Amino acid sequence: MYCAHCGVRLADSERHCPLCGTKAYHPDLPSPTGERLYPPHRDPAPPSHSLGFAIVATAVFVLALVTVLACDLRFYGSVTWSGYTAGAILLAYVVFILPTWFRAPHPSIFVPCSFGAAACYLLYIDLATHGHWFLSFAFPVVGGLGLLTTAFATLLRYLKKGKLYVFGGTVAALGAFMPLVEWLQHLTFAGSVAMGWSFYPLTALLLGGGALLFLAICRPAREYMARKFFI
Amino acid sequence: MPFPQKSHPRWLRLDNAAKIYPAARNEKWSNVFRMSATLRDEIDTAVLRRAWEVTIKRVPFLAARLRKGVFWYYLEPVTEVPIISEERSCPLAPMSKKETRRCAFRVIAYRRRIAIELFHSLTDGSGATIFLKTLTAEYLEQRYGVSIPAEAGVLDRRQSPVPVEWEDSFLKHAGTLAATRKDRTAYRLHGTPERSSFLRLTCFQLPASAVVEKAHQYGVSVTAFLCAAIMQAAARIQQDDTPELHRRKPIKVLLPVNLRPLFGSTTLRNFALYCKPEILPALGDYTFEEICAVVKAKLDSEVTAKQMSMQIAVNVRDERPLAIRVMPLFIKNMVMKAVYHSVGEKKACLCLSNLGAVTLPASMTPYVERMDFVLGVQATTPYNCGVLSFGDTLYLNMIRNIREPILEQQFHCVLQELGLTPTVESNEKE
């Protein structure tokens, strides 16, 4: 049989032309039924997840934690500076190493975990320094950023299209979040509610987010940018 | 005594060409190639396994595993015969380090076909042909009770391994004068990478006599003819890709040259070097006759014992200094891998390996329908090409790890323009 599109002479086993993909068909000839060169394709099993890195990294972090606490207890008899260092080590572990224990870590689980760990660390610092700023400042800021980042990471992971909308919306939302951060800052630390510095990131991020949303909506603009900035 | 006594060393150094393969391998290039023989009846795997057990005693250093020393890799015969592998949807599944440590080759049975896939540190195409012929001969003897003489590349399985079969012929035949390694970067064929390590194989079948006649019309050998056709196809792809003449890169094809006839070696290990014919599209479009002339001139000037001994000297020189020999293996691996991946693959568009006309003893021929030779792709070069003739059919297996059949389409056009109409088959997903 010959390919109707490119004229290639096909072996009896070929259902499609390997050179152009056209289905092998002739109205006067029977469908190809020859023996295929190889068995049909089956998607391979996903590769097994190697835990070597996670185990080694955990061991390194545990060693660092124990060393820091041991030094502090040895020289000062109680947990002083080592509490902050240990907290930072634990935070770094939750953010960077904990996801490596899993083959396909879900962002909707690990991003909130990371922000939760950050909130716990800040709570420890607040309690250790008697700052009284956790509930009125740190918790809402970390919570807000955590919600925004979780939404961003989850949408990016599961949406097949519309990624520019996600980026644009996230950047704009971050900009809109800045006045809230400044208001909480003034409420907790300065006492008054005069808005000042948040105007600048608000403007910049709203403009950036707006530009990304415009590119998402306007296809000619998108193509123009792709032509100018391709790598 | 029906089976040979243990008359070979317990371990063996890698030959000079083999040293780069374990160092340069990664998940995209595992340096494996395949040879297969399609018989007329379904394969009996129990008989094949028994035949395999006999054959590996005859060629213990082709049926070997790769082990790691402190300074170098080395080979050991396998301690037990692994199971016969199942055929996948594409040939040349990557061979992991764990697998090569256990057994650096596979025997695969699928319907009427026996295939062997070997890690390139064991041997080259010529050595693999002898291995496959010997295995197939033993299988046919056990299955059908025919007596197959030890001729036409079939070894006597009752004989002990012969020392010349495991010698490193590179060390023996290195010249005193070393060639230079300077070389220009070649044009790189490219396309959309295939996911999940699936390799697409396209087999062009041509009447061997027609190809020989056509090659003689142009005054070249079959290898030179096919090389010229592939270079023509690659040049046309670059023409579409890069309209500006001055930006076009050289088109080069790696042609492995079997050194055994030149030096009278009978080793079964690697003993091949490369010739690299080259055209410069920046100078303008070449006619097919011009490309044939370039390839012929290159082969005629380079494929001589003196020239090849200079090439061998370059490679052997690099492994001889004491500073290199005492360098720990893991440092050698890092350096060789870095040098190879930054320089090695950029020097040719693809490799075209032609094993020529494969002959069998007359008593085997009625049982064997066809034979194939498939090279693996490399890490960044998406195409490779293995060729052999069996009977009156030339089988050209073109393998790629990109989705678009760009080279196959152009190559087919070139063959048609030359008056040849191949039959095409593939392992395309249904």
Side-chain angles (χ1 to χ4, degrees), chain A residues 8-11 13-15 18-19 35-41 44, chain B residues 34 87-89 111 113 198 201 405 409 421 423-426 428 430:
Chain A
V8 170
R9 185 161 69 194
L10 303 172
S13 55
E14 300 305 294
R15 275 81 164 151
L19 268 54
E35 194 177 275
R36 300 260 315 156
L37 264 186
Y38 290 89
H41 180 69
Chain B
R34 163 191 276 237
E87 186 68 275
R88 290 178 7 141
S89 56
R111 293 190 179 163
R113 181 169 67 217
F198 182 75
L201 182 73
Q409 287 168 344
T421 306
T423 301
V424 175
E425 59 180 342
S426 72
E428 291 290 326
E430 287 178 6

Side-chain angles (χ1 to χ4, degrees), chain B residues 10 43 59 68 73 79 81 126 154 156 160 197 231 260 263 285 294 309 347-348 367 371 378 390:
Chain B
R10 288 176 189 275
I43 303 297
V59 285
K68 213 179 198 180
Y73 286 97
T79 48
V81 174
S126 302
V154 174
D156 182 358
S160 299
S197 69
M231 288 170 93
R260 292 170 183 83
F263 294 98
D285 295 334
V294 165
S309 72
K347 302 305 180 188
Y367 297 95
M371 297 186 78
Q378 293 171 273
F390 182 72

Side-chain angles (χ1 to χ4, degrees), chain B residues 241-301:
Chain B
D241 217 9
T242 316
E244 305 90 344
L245 263 184
H246 69 278
R247 292 180 60 193
R248 292 184 195 169
K249 291 200 172 153
I251 303 283
K252 302 189 205 184
V253 172
L254 271 179
L255 291 181
V257 175
N258 182 11
L259 299 176
R260 292 170 183 83
L262 287 178
F263 294 98
S265 169
T266 52
T267 185
L268 293 180
R269 301 172 69 198
N270 284 295
F271 195 40
L273 278 178
Y274 296 98
C275 182
K276 224 181 305 177
E278 170 185 350
I279 57 170
L280 301 171
L283 300 174
D285 295 334
Y286 283 68
T287 61
F288 188 73
E289 289 78 5
E290 283 176 328
I291 301 177
C292 284
V294 165
V295 176
K296 182 175 188 312
K298 186 76 171 176
L299 287 171
D300 287 347
S301 65

